[in-house]
Amino acid sequence: METAVAALFFLRSWRVTADRLFLFFALAFFAMTLNWIGLSRVDASRELVHYVYLFRLVAFVLIIVGIVDRNQRSGRRNRMPVVGA
């Protein structure tokens, strides 16, 4: 339940600030919510339980992509123009 609340919190922050980092975090926490729901629904003795962890992998990839995207966007804004070149 906490991951769903965190996803809603980041979604609200994205709507207020329009910063894509918050959108990536909201999507990541939504993927974590799907992971927990999947783990609660799948029988632990089944061999397919490890496929549920793909949601967690997607969540971590989304967080990394969001951070890289944010750093690239802020890097372009903070570059100083070369004077006299």
Side-chain angles (χ1 to χ4, degrees):
M1 188 68 170
E2 292 99 9
T3 56
V5 172
L8 292 175
F9 173 76
F10 282 116
L11 191 62
R12 184 184 64 164
S13 297
W14 171 68
R15 286 183 156 184
V16 170
T17 64
D19 189 356
R20 288 191 306 216
L21 179 67
F22 292 127
L23 179 61
F24 281 112
F25 270 75
L27 292 173
F29 276 98
F30 180 69
M32 291 293 276
T33 301
L34 293 176
N35 174 61
W36 286 111
I37 290 172
L39 284 175
S40 70
R41 300 289 180 204
V42 174
D43 185 19
S45 65
R46 295 192 53 178
E47 292 182 16
L48 301 176
V49 73
H50 62 279
Y51 287 119
V52 177
Y53 287 102
L54 290 176
F55 289 117
R56 189 175 290 190
L57 175 65
V58 168
F60 288 125
V61 168
L62 281 169
I63 290 172
I64 291 169
V65 168
I67 292 171
V68 168
D69 178 63
R70 173 71 180 263
N71 286 336
Q72 286 179 347
R73 283 186 293 125
S74 66
R76 280 186 240 129
R77 278 194 303 244
N78 293 334
R79 283 196 190 141
M80 301 270 306
V82 178
V83 180

